[in-house]
Structures are given as C-alpha cells and as structure tokens.
Amino acid sequence: MVSIFKKKTQKDLEDLILKTRSSMQNNYKDMAQDFFKDFCKKYDELMSIGALNDKQIENYKKERDILTEELKGFTHKDQKPYWH
C-alpha cells in the first residue's frame, strides 16, 4: 500500500509540473503561476508528512528552483504593451 501511495504522490507532483510547463508554453501566465503555487504547496505538504524519499526530495527541489527562476516576471502585470 505504501508503494502505491508514493507513486500517487509522485504522479501528483509530476502532473503539476507538466501543467505549469504547458501553461508557460501556451503563454498562460496566471495559470502557470497558479499551477506552480499548487506544486510548491503539494511538495511542502508531502515533505512534512514524510511521503517523499531523499531522491524525490532532491529532484523536486531542483525542479522547484528551476521553475522559480523561469517564472520570475512571468505575469501579465509585468508585461509591457508592444506599442510602447
């Protein structure tokens, strides 16, 4: 049962990463930010209950750091109109 739970938790995180990246590629800035926030919340939650092993923690931490950098300034409010 535990192995099934770990696979489910990993799938949840992978789905949120995929949704974040897909939204970024489609220039859905607000949606990408929302999915990323959900990913961070889920990651923190799973870490707090010990549902991730050391390798998963390191991999998802690395992914979180990469997405944090990529999403800096990736919002509609920071977007400059092309006619200015």
Side-chain angles (χ1 to χ4, degrees), residues 10-82:
Q10 195 171 2
K11 183 179 179 336
D12 290 344
L13 290 173
E14 292 294 329
D15 285 347
L16 288 168
I17 290 170
L18 182 63
K19 288 176 181 179
T20 301
R21 293 217 174 270
S22 178
S23 297
M24 289 171 67
Q25 290 173 346
N26 290 312
N27 206 29
Y28 300 147
K29 296 176 180 182
D30 294 335
M31 191 178 294
Q33 294 287 349
D34 289 343
F35 283 131
F36 180 64
K37 286 177 190 171
D38 292 344
F39 166 77
C40 291
K41 182 178 174 183
K42 186 71 169 178
Y43 173 74
D44 292 340
E45 175 188 318
L46 293 173
M47 279 194 36
S48 70
I49 63 171
L52 300 173
N53 63 36
D54 291 340
K55 185 177 179 182
Q56 290 170 326
I57 290 170
E58 184 60 34
N59 287 338
Y60 290 122
K61 181 183 180 307
K62 182 189 263 184
E63 188 66 34
R64 185 181 66 181
D65 293 345
I66 291 169
L67 284 170
T68 298
E69 264 317 296
E70 291 178 0
L71 288 169
K72 279 186 183 173
F74 193 74
T75 63
H76 288 294
K77 68 178 182 176
D78 295 332
Q79 184 175 347
K80 304 288 184 230
Y82 62 89

